Amino acid sequence: NEGDEPRYTQPLMYERIDAHPPVADVYAKTLIEAGVVTEDEVQRERDSVNQQLTRSLDRFRTERDVGDQSNSNPYVTSEWRAAAEPETAVPVELLDHLDEALLRVPDGFTVNPKLQRTLGKRRTAMKEGGPIDWGHAEALAFASLLTEGVPLRLVGQDTERGTFSHRHMVLSDAVTGDRHTPIKHLDKATASFELHNSPLSEYAAVGFEYGYSVSAPETMVMWEAQFGDFVNGAEIIIDQFIIAGLVKWDQTSRLVLLLPHGYEGQGPEHSSARLERFLALGAEGNIRVANCSTPAQYFHLLRYQAKHSMLRPLVVMTPKSLLRHPQAVSSTSDLATGRFNFVLDDPTLPGPRDAVTRIVLCSGRVYYDAIRSPKRADAASVAVGRIELLYPFPSGAVQKLLKGYTNLKEVVWLQEEPMNMGARKWVVPQILDLVPADVTVRYIARPERSSPAEGFLKKHLAEQERLVGAALT
């Protein structure tokens, strides 16, 4: 208790403390005796600091007295929302050049044969216009940013290879064990790239990366959890600094948290990055929270974050099963054109748009469960849309999507998380504010639970089928 009297309980200790000179005095005396500074210089430094603090206090009191007393948000301003959107598309010719450079190894370097086949598919995909998978799109996003002079730092628990063996940015010679990182040898790069595996100590690692991102704001610093659930070890850093730093100290950064998230029946500690927690912490325009569903969206999001003039930490719910999902792929033209879309319309409508009376909105991997369901073909009156940016909520983009369906009677929010988790508590009230009174809004989710997910695959699949069936029929 900072207002308590410690001498109540520790009288002898504080008698000694009272008799001991302050640390600043001890240090100053040491420097003076060593001839580093003079007594006058020490006093001038003390006076300077006191004057600076006094000026800051006076300025705060003045601003508090005469400042805006309304409930307007000082950070979610029209300027912030309308800030110039950065160009995120990259010409096909440059993508092709970067792809070749990312596959280049020194003479005599032996790539693991199994991995060589995987990497060879990337060359084929680039030449044939796709399909580009998640790891491929990520590598091209990083490489393109390096050619534009954006320094990058990627650190985390298995980032060199990728927890799900999808990245392979650091290669190991199958014969000698020597290591080679192709992305550090791009002939068109004009910025540095740091890539390190970090220990399983999230509190320390995220704390360090936050400090790095604040100290070097021109750098896009990224920390990746092995599974998104593991970020809970860094909650103190998230709450005290990443979330509240903007309003406490006007301090923000481009820090990116990559948190694998998605329900695959692998249990409670390998499913949820606690999306609901980040959405509950989003306020006053302090962060961005995204859940991409395609490699191209992820590609554009990374470039958006690195180049946007408004610095904010970004939390990304990254996939696991979608890393190799046959439908979760993009074309080279998707990377060479367009931008990061806050909302995606339904490209799988089985019937005409004017026949749609229900739109199912979702985010992340559950979208693929919906469109692959056997019931999808018979659901001509149902559209399936995706909200890719969850905070700040893209009200304008969602409203535009809804208005595109002129006979809409119902909006359904679909999530695979339990109803007390996921995005439901955040998204549903936002949707209610956007729809006319005669349009029903409801949600479909797992029942409320204290544990995030099942660890029994058969039960998980049955529950997924139930959720999707309820959304489509």
Side-chain angles (χ1 to χ4, degrees):
N1 182 349
E2 292 86 346
D4 204 353
E5 171 54 76
R7 292 161 187 81
Y8 292 160
T9 53
Q10 301 291 339
L12 300 182
M13 177 190 294
Y14 274 84
E15 183 179 350
R16 296 183 65 184
I17 290 173
D18 292 340
H20 195 286
V23 173
D25 291 351
V26 175
Y27 186 46
K29 181 180 178 182
T30 302
L31 294 178
I32 292 169
E33 291 176 349
V36 176
V37 295
T38 65
E39 289 188 23
D40 287 343
E41 288 173 326
V42 170
Q43 189 58 47
R44 284 199 298 272
E45 182 69 17
R46 290 183 188 273
D47 292 343
S48 174
V49 171
N50 284 330
Q51 291 167 9
Q52 180 183 347
L53 293 173
T54 300
R55 286 194 300 270
S56 296
L57 180 59
D58 290 343
R59 186 172 65 251
F60 166 75
R61 284 171 172 164
T62 301
E63 292 174 352
R64 182 182 60 180
D65 291 341
V66 302
D68 181 9
Q69 299 300 310
S70 71
N71 291 322
S72 63
N73 189 323
Y75 294 102
V76 185
T77 61
S78 57
E79 175 191 4
W80 185 76
R81 291 191 182 280
E85 295 295 302
E87 176 62 47
T88 59
V90 178
V92 172
E93 297 77 13
L94 178 57
L95 291 173
D96 187 62
H97 174 86
L98 294 174
D99 192 61
E100 283 299 322
L102 289 169
L103 297 173
R104 191 183 305 138
V105 297
D107 292 340
F109 190 95
T110 305
V111 179
N112 178 285
K114 183 177 180 180
L115 178 56
Q116 184 63 62
R117 289 192 295 272
T118 299
L119 296 177
K121 291 179 181 177
R122 292 187 177 183
R123 177 179 283 114
T124 302
M126 179 58 64
K127 299 299 182 186
E128 296 180 355
I132 305 293
D133 64 20
W134 211 272
H136 195 180
E138 180 189 68
L140 291 170
F142 291 162
S144 65
L145 288 169
L146 295 176
T147 67
E148 296 173 23
V150 179
L152 302 174
R153 175 179 169 85
L154 175 61
V155 180
Q157 304 164 331
D158 265 347
T159 52
E160 294 180 355
R161 178 202 63 183
T163 294
F164 309 101
S165 200
H166 66 285
R167 184 170 287 130
H168 299 294
M169 283 197 169
V170 178
L171 306 177
S172 297
D173 190 298
V175 177
T176 67
D178 293 342
R179 288 154 59 88
H180 177 68
T181 308
I183 198 169
K184 292 190 176 184
H185 300 275
L186 303 177
D187 53 12
K188 290 183 178 293
T190 59
S192 63
F193 185 87
E194 291 188 67
L195 179 65
H196 308 286
N197 287 338
S198 70
L200 287 166
S201 178
E202 295 83 5
Y203 178 51
V206 175
F208 184 88
E209 301 311 323
Y210 174 77
Y212 196 114
S213 69
V214 170
S215 301
E218 73 283 357
T219 304
M220 186 164 78
V221 178
M222 297 162 281
W223 179 81
E224 182 177 58
Q226 194 170 62
F227 284 82
D229 311 63
F230 301 174
V231 77
N232 59 15
E235 282 186 8
I236 297 172
I237 298 298
I238 293 167
D239 293 352
Q240 303 297 334
F241 296 91
I242 297 174
I243 296 300
L246 184 60
V247 293
K248 290 201 291 190
W249 313 298
D250 198 25
Q251 179 171 286
T252 187
S253 75
R254 297 189 193 279
L255 179 67
V256 179
L257 300 182
L258 301 173
L259 310 179
H261 175 87
Y263 283 39
E264 275 95 17
Q266 297 202 1
E269 275 67 65
H270 294 80
S271 301
S272 175
R274 294 294 189 176
L275 173 59
E276 65 280 356
R277 194 168 188 278
F278 289 101
L279 293 178
L281 293 171
E284 300 180 289
N286 58 341
I287 55 173
R288 298 182 179 109
V289 180
N291 192 7
C292 300
S293 59
T294 73
Q297 280 283 89
Y298 181 52
F299 171 90
H300 288 293
L301 175 63
L302 289 172
R303 290 179 49 77
Y304 177 95
Q305 176 70 2
K307 301 179 67 175
H308 203 289
S309 60
M310 287 290 180
L311 275 66
R312 293 294 186 272
L314 168 66
V315 181
V316 187
M317 301 289 113
T318 57
K320 295 172 290 181
S321 63
L322 296 191
L323 296 172
R324 295 175 179 81
H325 196 291
Q327 287 179 282
V329 293
S330 301
S331 66
T332 53
S333 63
D334 293 332
L335 279 54
T337 60
R339 56 181 290 276
F340 172 58
N341 295 295
F342 300 162
V343 173
L344 293 177
D345 202 349
D346 190 344
T348 68
L349 274 180
R353 292 180 71 86
D354 59 6
V356 172
T357 58
R358 176 193 302 171
I359 184 167
V360 175
L361 296 177
C362 60
S363 191
R365 66 167 301 284
V366 72
Y367 165 76
Y368 292 96
D369 290 335
I371 65 170
R372 295 182 77 193
S373 169
K375 298 177 181 179
R376 178 69 183 118
D378 297 327
S381 62
V382 180
V384 183
R386 286 162 280 176
I387 301 179
E388 304 274 294
L389 180 71
L390 291 163
Y391 185 86
F393 191 76
S395 299
V398 173
Q399 193 167 45
K400 182 179 179 181
L401 173 67
L402 299 180
K403 286 183 176 179
Y405 295 96
T406 55
N407 293 316
L408 200 61
K409 300 299 181 186
E410 184 181 32
V411 180
V412 175
W413 172 253
L414 169 65
Q415 66 178 39
E416 54 188 356
E417 299 91 346
M419 66 175 68
N420 58 316
M421 303 178 193
R424 181 193 69 85
K425 290 183 180 179
W426 166 249
V427 170
V428 172
Q430 305 289 335
I431 297 173
L432 282 167
D433 286 342
L434 298 177
V435 300
D438 60 344
V439 174
T440 302
V441 177
R442 62 187 181 92
Y443 60 87
I444 294 171
R446 280 174 164 79
E448 286 191 357
R449 288 180 179 158
S450 57
S451 181
E454 305 99 339
F456 181 35
L457 182 60
K458 186 175 180 180
K459 181 180 178 183
H460 160 78
L461 293 175
E463 188 72 346
Q464 292 292 101
E465 184 178 352
R466 181 190 69 80
L467 295 173
V468 170
L472 294 177
T473 61

